[in-house]
Amino acid sequence: MTEIGKALPGVSVARSFGRVATLLAVSVGLPKDVDWRGRTVHTGVWKQPVDGPVMLRRLNLDGDGQGDLGGHGGEQRAVLVYQQDSYRYWQQVLSRDDFVPGQFGENFTVDGLPDDEVCIGDRYRVGEAVVEVTQPRVTCYRVGMRLNEPSMAALMVAHHRPGFYLRVLTEGLVRAGDEIVKLSTGPEAMTVAELDALLYLPGHARDDAARALRIPALSPGWQASMQGLLDQADGQEGNAGLETAAAPPAWAGFRPLTVTALDEETRDVFSLHLAAADGTPLPAALPGQFLTLRLPGEAGPLIRSYSLSGTPGDAVYRISVKQEPHGAAGTYLRANARPGLTVEAAAPRGSFTLDPGDQPVLLLSAGIGATPVMAMLHALAVTQPDRAVWWVHGARDGAEHAFAAESRELLGRLPHAHAYICYSRPGPEDRDYTTAGRITPEVLRGLNLPPDTAAYLCGPTEFMGEITAALGELGLGPAQVHSELFGAQGGLTPGIAAAPAPPPHPPDGAPGPGPAVSFVRSGLTVPWSPAYASLLEFAEACDVPVRWSCRTGVCHTCVSGLLSGQVAYSPEPVEEPGDGNLLICCSEPTSELALDL
């Protein structure tokens, strides 16, 4: 196999500014299962050069495929391009001489077309095909796996050598040795390296984000990231192109709050009113956010999160708690919550919040899932009474219908409100419901929702999946449907073969000597062990659901809420997340931690 630092037979690698670039190698590979850290990764990153002509089609080259279509492949990412000059660069930086074409996962290995000259929207003729540059490569852990360099994703960004993707405008045969002829330059003349740095490196200039958005060829995913940067508030920390933009928490760690009142909502749901100990108003929370409490427990602190259900902007907070049969935190609060009790609370958090726009709103919940959307209903009644609102709620019966009278009173203040209440097992005395049965797709179809409706859903996981799918069938796009799940969020482990996971648990072996790490959504607190390279690896050992992609501090997929405590980064991330968050893929605790995981 030809070494990348040398010319392919019969192909000139001479370069000078303005010369036509050359296609040195065409590489393809179908996805396969690869063992990696005790898991199976389904990936197409192993590409091999092919001889002779290959048909380049709209979605990829004949004989090529991608294992993770969520992050690779598709019309906007049909062909990955990497440069011979970058191969030579990495040979020197990494002190390696074993590179071969396709080793960076690329389809086209080229002489010419450097990332700091090629522009988004540039068009080229390659053999019989015409292609267009759509975006830089989104680096993930698999290029590091292929190269056996775990930090490769971060290195490619930091050194401004990501490579780029092409969209196929005209299908045709391509082969090694073809000239790559430039047909036109993309509008705005924004280079691949420039755009990559704009998203991933500190210093996100709004003018440049607006400039990127004026390039029609830019892929939809990168358009969304650029819009996030453009909309990021002045002075807001973090990277709104990669993570959900949010104001920093109102205070760090936990502070004492005092119970001022207790309301019985149903036989197993009660609400607590919490105030500052000194009587000063508490910072305003956004409608839909939650509060995390730290409570005493027999085996250590109990840390649990509860949605705020009162009127946003009140001087006190109201949380609503469902007492589960074996729930330690709910049992403690039920037994001890009286006016005057002091609890510790982290600041309100959460991105499941009401959009202040004027489009119609669907607030849909089941059981205790009504809690966060109650706060939204309060906000609408106070600040936007003319907004069209659909209130849809499911309960077992009238005795388990939390906030029934309160929601009716609020809906009465909204002249354009519609209510639909489903009781799955109504009792003979129940009257205040619309229909017997559960919330079903048929119920949703009967609502006649306007096409621009913004939907906010909260309930059990299975219920949420069914309702989200049903709303999609009614024409509501993913950006219109916002949801809040009970408990831990679903994991995102790209390329990893799905396997049943046990409930979160302490890691195997003796407990670690380090500080306690609380995975709040998973209800697990365990001592840290330095045997793990990062909090991500520690969480994986505990079977705590996690989300990640690059595993080296670039993509911010793993960004998580840091409720309390401090961490150290190793390696340092390309850019740190916003205040109150951390990147679990490259951090470890330096104190006791409470994480929103």
Side-chain angles (χ1 to χ4, degrees), residues 375 392 453 586:
V392 181
T453 296
C586 55

Side-chain angles (χ1 to χ4, degrees), residues 47 140 222 291 309 346 360 372 387 467 570:
K47 308 293 186 188
C140 70
W222 279 74
L291 202 65
S309 59
R387 202 165 171 181
I467 295 302
S570 180

Side-chain angles (χ1 to χ4, degrees), residues 100-111:
V100 293
Q103 196 157 356
F104 281 75
E106 81 277 8
N107 303 109
F108 286 177
T109 310
V110 301
D111 177 41

Side-chain angles (χ1 to χ4, degrees), residues 377-520:
L377 189 61
H378 273 284
L380 290 165
V382 172
T383 63
Q384 293 183 296
D386 292 329
R387 202 165 171 181
V389 177
W390 277 259
W391 174 264
V392 181
H393 179 68
R396 180 187 178 93
D397 54 30
E400 294 192 10
H401 184 176
F403 315 113
E406 183 177 339
S407 60
R408 281 196 301 270
E409 190 276 328
L410 292 170
L411 290 165
R413 292 196 243 159
L414 298 167
H416 306 292
H418 312 263
Y420 200 103
I421 308 300
C422 297
Y423 285 173
S424 61
R425 296 185 183 178
E429 70 283 359
D430 287 330
R431 297 290 184 271
D432 295 326
Y433 66 98
T434 309
T435 188
R438 302 182 183 277
I439 300 172
T440 63
E442 290 72 23
V443 168
L444 299 181
R445 279 194 289 271
L447 299 177
N448 295 316
L449 296 170
D452 59 339
T453 296
Y456 298 86
L457 324 177
C458 187
T461 303
E462 184 177 350
F463 165 82
M464 298 297 296
E466 293 174 355
I467 295 302
T468 299
L471 290 173
E473 292 174 1
L474 292 177
L476 271 64
Q480 295 174 257
V481 181
H482 314 273
S483 60
E484 179 83 317
L485 293 173
F486 298 156
Q489 302 275 344
L492 176 65
T493 56
I496 303 295
H505 57 85
D508 295 336
V517 177
S518 293
F519 300 104
V520 174

Side-chain angles (χ1 to χ4, degrees), residues 259-274 293 306-310 317-323 333-334 337-339 368 370-371 374 378 402-403 406:
V259 176
T260 60
L262 184 148
D263 301 326
E264 297 290 344
E265 307 293 354
T266 69
R267 55 177 167 250
D268 58 4
V269 176
F270 56 95
S271 295
L272 301 180
H273 299 255
L274 303 169
L293 302 187
Y306 302 99
S307 295
L308 291 154
S309 59
Y317 295 151
R318 186 181 77 169
I319 60 170
S320 298
V321 180
K322 181 177 182 181
Q323 185 181 4
L333 289 171
R334 171 62 81 182
R338 301 290 183 274
I368 193 60
T371 308
M374 273 301 300
H378 273 284
F403 315 113
E406 183 177 339

Side-chain angles (χ1 to χ4, degrees), residues 14-392:
R15 295 181 59 214
S16 64
F17 184 78
R19 284 196 61 168
V20 173
T22 305
L23 179 58
L24 298 180
V26 178
S27 301
V28 300
L30 293 175
K32 63 181 180 178
D33 290 340
V34 178
D35 291 333
W36 177 74
R37 298 186 179 184
R39 288 175 285 187
T40 299
V41 179
H42 188 65
T43 177
V45 75
W46 266 263
K47 308 293 186 188
Q48 300 294 332
V50 293
D51 295 326
V54 183
M55 188 66 183
L56 176 56
R57 304 186 190 278
R58 185 177 64 87
L59 295 181
N60 48 31
L61 292 150
D62 282 356
D64 192 48
Q66 297 80 27
D68 171 25
L69 293 177
H72 306 277
E75 184 176 352
Q76 301 292 328
R77 298 172 298 210
V79 182
L80 180 59
V81 180
Y82 211 55
Q83 304 79 29
Q84 186 187 46
D85 181 65
S86 289
Y87 268 94
R88 292 180 176 131
Y89 179 83
W90 294 120
Q91 283 178 329
Q92 181 177 5
V93 169
L94 301 176
S95 300
R96 292 177 59 165
D97 61 3
D98 59 341
F99 290 146
V100 293
Q103 196 157 356
F104 281 75
E106 81 277 8
N107 303 109
F108 286 177
T109 310
V110 301
D111 177 41
L113 304 187
D115 292 339
D116 59 358
E117 291 181 16
V118 170
C119 298
I120 306 300
D122 281 2
R123 292 186 175 186
Y124 298 91
R125 181 178 300 281
V126 187
E128 297 177 353
V130 176
V131 294
E132 181 178 61
V133 180
T134 58
Q135 64 170 72
R137 173 211 301 257
V138 178
T139 49
C140 70
Y141 74 104
R142 279 159 291 206
V143 67
M145 180 177 69
R146 175 71 176 88
L147 295 167
N148 196 27
E149 293 284 350
S151 62
M152 202 66 217
L155 290 173
M156 294 173 78
V157 170
H159 291 245
H160 307 286
R161 292 178 180 269
F164 55 88
Y165 279 107
L166 301 173
R167 181 165 70 102
V168 178
L169 302 179
T170 302
E171 297 180 342
L173 293 171
V174 296
R175 72 178 72 201
D178 282 343
E179 289 187 336
I180 304 173
V181 181
K182 188 173 184 179
L183 303 178
S184 63
T185 298
E188 303 298 328
M190 177 173 279
T191 69
V192 168
E194 186 180 2
L195 180 64
D196 197 62
L198 175 61
L199 178 59
Y200 289 115
L201 299 180
H204 316 285
R206 269 206 187 88
D207 288 348
D208 287 339
R211 182 174 148 219
L213 286 167
R214 292 194 292 268
I215 305 174
L218 184 64
S219 66
W222 279 74
Q223 288 180 21
S225 293
M226 291 300 106
Q227 191 64 52
L229 294 179
L230 189 63
D231 295 341
Q232 187 163 359
D234 290 333
Q236 186 178 70
E237 297 294 326
N239 187 331
L242 298 174
E243 58 187 275
T244 301
W251 64 84
F254 290 87
R255 63 176 284 187
L257 298 180
T258 301
V259 176
T260 60
L262 184 148
D263 301 326
E264 297 290 344
E265 307 293 354
T266 69
R267 55 177 167 250
D268 58 4
V269 176
F270 56 95
S271 295
L272 301 180
H273 299 255
L274 303 169
D278 60 5
T280 58
L282 290 170
L286 296 174
Q289 289 190 309
F290 60 85
L291 202 65
T292 301
L293 302 187
R294 183 164 62 189
L295 307 168
E298 292 182 2
L302 301 170
I303 305 178
R304 302 289 189 272
S305 296
Y306 302 99
S307 295
L308 291 154
S309 59
T311 305
D314 277 357
V316 300
Y317 295 151
R318 186 181 77 169
I319 60 170
S320 298
V321 180
K322 181 177 182 181
Q323 185 181 4
E324 302 290 354
H326 304 291
T331 298
Y332 171 85
L333 289 171
R334 171 62 81 182
N336 296 279
R338 301 290 183 274
L341 175 72
T342 296
V343 298
E344 293 183 294
R349 302 181 70 104
S351 58
F352 178 67
T353 55
L354 181 67
D355 190 313
D358 58 2
Q359 70 269 45
V361 177
L362 168 65
L363 303 178
L364 192 154
S365 58
I368 193 60
T371 308
V373 292
M374 273 301 300
M376 297 181 184
L377 189 61
H378 273 284
L380 290 165
V382 172
T383 63
Q384 293 183 296
D386 292 329
R387 202 165 171 181
V389 177
W390 277 259
W391 174 264
V392 181

